[in-house]
Amino acid sequence: MRLAALLASTPLVAAVNLWATHYNGHVYTLALENEKLRIAHTQKTCGAMPSWLTFDSEARVLYCTDEDGTPEPSTHGSLTAYHVGREGKLVEFATAETVGGGVNSVIYEGAKGQKFIAIAHYGGSAISTFALPLRPHAKALQTFHLEMKHKGAVAQQDAPHPHEVFLDPTGSFIVSPDLGADLLRIYSIDDSNGKLHDCPSVNVTLGSGPRHGVFWTDGTNSDDKARPDSKPTHARKMAAVGKTMMYLVNEIGGTMMSFDVSYGRSGCLNLEKQQTLVPYPHNKMPKGGTPSGIEMIGDAFYVSIRSDQGFAPNDSMVVLDRAPKDGAVSLRKASNSYGKVPRTFVTNRKGDLVAIGNQASATVAIVRRDRKTGDLGEEIAVLQVGEPGKVGSAEGLSSIIWDE
């Protein structure tokens, strides 16, 4: 009786779901419960190469982009939409063909609450948009086929390769780091119809290979609000509230850059570079090491470093601090990624857990985050999700996201 009473009084931690994509053609629902991680559902879906997940938490709809395909018109990728069912199981309700090579997406809104999604097509050298909710066999709202005037510094820069699309703090602009062309491509959003309009691109140092970026603004600068999933406010269109900056990690050059942001009368976004640093101990990136993902919470930045073997046989996560006076960034410390090739990572809404998706080891590691200091701590759970992939190949775990 005593044991029964004790068990009855011990609170159980409700399961929290995550989703992960793997280049083996599957999407996984993961359940984290009582500091244990398990695979709750496995579904063969999202084309031949599921690559990226974007979650509309209001509508409880998950979108998956497929990296299959090339710039050739005869090949294509896909965008798939799912309703979220019980225990995070996904119920597919629409699929549309896209340009090949979709590696990242972002949801944005119009003035009357209508929603759209923009996709960066790395292999397809394009950016496309679709109206939401996605309809079966829907056609793209727009497709921008990108060009570059000069050859890149390395073989990897053989063509335009947009690697991400992300919103500015006003929700009025989309920025896409083009790894192949060493450009930050900028688009203004027409909030009456969701269409994008070209703005002047910003050159990045030759051979940098820009990959991912994030905005900082003192208008949303807090641990709860300065999050990648915070909802933009359209009332701030064309004018920043206080100081706004953008931070960028460059895959090929192994650097991180900061930019001052201003909103011009021309109706476009202006970026002026302020700093370049190597986001790694001793200001030197090890041979083979490359920055991958970046996330910001308050004045702390988190960057995943692939193939540095900083905690052999595992790679690294680094924490950097932003100086309040001028926005300059400095390294705080490096910590264990608990796997090989941390391609993506994401912090939960509470800010106390980070899920790291290690591509080559095909592991998801859940790591503690100290909400007061911002430091990353010990691993509390790790799980093999699909088969490992070869370092440097399009194999293994491709993305991870919380159901929040």
Side-chain angles (χ1 to χ4, degrees):
M1 294 294 291
R2 291 182 187 177
L3 179 59
L6 178 62
L7 292 174
S9 64
T10 302
L12 295 177
V13 177
V16 177
N17 293 323
L18 303 94
W19 296 290
T21 56
H22 194 291
Y23 282 129
N24 64 8
H26 291 78
V27 178
Y28 298 83
T29 301
L30 312 180
L32 176 65
E33 188 172 14
N34 295 321
E35 299 190 351
K36 292 183 179 179
L37 194 60
R38 61 181 173 86
I39 297 176
H41 303 285
T42 303
Q43 296 169 245
K44 186 169 180 59
T45 183
C46 192
M49 296 179 66
S51 177
W52 190 263
L53 297 168
T54 297
F55 186 40
D56 183 343
S57 59
E58 292 179 338
R60 299 289 294 166
V61 173
L62 187 71
Y63 294 93
C64 183
T65 55
D66 165 28
E67 197 174 340
D68 198 22
T70 70
E72 295 297 323
S74 59
T75 68
H76 58 80
S78 63
L79 173 65
T80 305
Y82 310 87
H83 291 301
V84 178
R86 295 186 61 184
E87 298 182 341
K89 187 173 184 180
L90 304 177
V91 181
E92 181 179 325
F93 69 87
T95 300
E97 287 188 2
T98 69
V99 177
V103 295
N104 186 272
S105 61
V106 66
I107 294 172
Y108 61 99
E109 294 188 7
K112 296 182 179 180
Q114 64 272 47
K115 294 182 180 181
F116 308 88
I117 192 168
I119 305 170
H121 301 273
Y122 182 94
S125 299
I127 291 171
S128 68
T129 63
F130 286 81
L132 301 181
L134 190 70
R135 306 296 182 189
H137 311 297
K139 301 298 183 182
L141 180 65
Q142 288 176 291
T143 301
F144 296 85
H145 293 281
L146 309 178
E147 298 179 353
M148 52 192 289
K149 296 179 180 179
H150 308 285
K151 289 185 177 180
V154 298
Q156 193 176 353
Q157 297 179 302
D158 59 333
H161 291 308
H163 212 298
E164 185 188 28
V165 278
F166 62 105
L167 286 166
D168 82 307
T170 71
S172 305
F173 298 92
I174 284 176
V175 177
S176 180
D178 188 333
L179 184 147
D182 285 322
L183 290 175
L184 294 172
R185 299 185 185 270
I186 303 174
Y187 302 89
S188 65
I189 299 170
D190 185 336
D191 64 9
S192 68
N193 56 22
K195 290 189 174 181
L196 306 183
H197 300 280
D198 281 300
C199 282
S201 297
V202 174
N203 290 308
V204 180
T205 305
L206 182 67
S208 292
R211 181 180 174 96
H212 281 205
V214 65
F215 280 92
W216 174 96
T217 174
D218 58 10
T220 57
N221 184 27
S222 73
D223 192 74
D224 294 322
K225 296 180 181 179
R227 299 299 313 278
D229 55 1
S230 58
K231 190 174 180 179
T233 304
H234 280 272
R236 295 176 57 203
K237 274 189 172 297
M238 308 307 297
V241 173
K243 185 176 180 63
T244 301
M245 298 185 71
M246 195 200 79
Y247 295 83
L248 176 74
V249 290
N250 299 304
E251 176 180 329
I252 297 173
T255 59
M256 180 175 175
M257 295 175 176
S258 68
F259 298 80
D260 272 337
V261 178
S262 61
Y263 295 79
R265 293 182 179 180
S266 64
C268 281
L269 188 71
N270 301 317
L271 303 175
E272 184 177 350
K273 188 171 71 173
Q274 299 297 316
Q275 181 191 17
T276 301
L277 75 153
V278 177
Y280 203 81
H282 311 297
N283 201 42
K284 184 178 181 180
M285 188 67 61
K287 184 177 181 180
T290 61
S292 180
I294 180 172
E295 184 174 309
M296 173 198 71
I297 303 177
D299 281 318
F301 292 88
Y302 302 85
V303 176
S304 57
I305 308 294
R306 305 181 304 172
S307 300
D308 73 310
Q309 289 291 280
F311 295 82
N314 299 327
D315 294 328
S316 301
M317 298 286 297
V318 295
V319 185
L320 304 103
D321 294 305
R322 180 188 182 279
K325 184 177 180 180
D326 59 3
V329 173
S330 59
L331 182 75
R332 183 195 302 181
K333 65 186 298 185
S335 61
N336 201 328
S337 76
Y338 299 100
K340 293 182 180 180
V341 187
R343 186 174 191 264
T344 62
F345 66 95
V346 62
T347 306
N348 66 348
R349 191 177 296 278
K350 187 177 178 181
D352 62 346
L353 297 175
V354 179
I356 303 171
N358 292 292
Q359 180 179 347
S361 57
T363 53
V364 174
I366 307 296
V367 176
R368 292 195 190 279
R369 174 183 176 270
D370 189 313
R371 294 189 66 195
K372 292 183 178 179
T373 67
D375 285 346
L376 300 183
E378 77 275 15
E379 168 198 293
I380 67 167
V382 64
L383 181 67
Q384 180 87 39
V385 181
E387 60 275 12
K390 183 180 178 181
V391 174
S393 70
E395 300 174 355
L397 195 79
S398 50
S399 73
I400 184 78
I401 191 172
W402 294 92
D403 176 6
E404 293 186 325

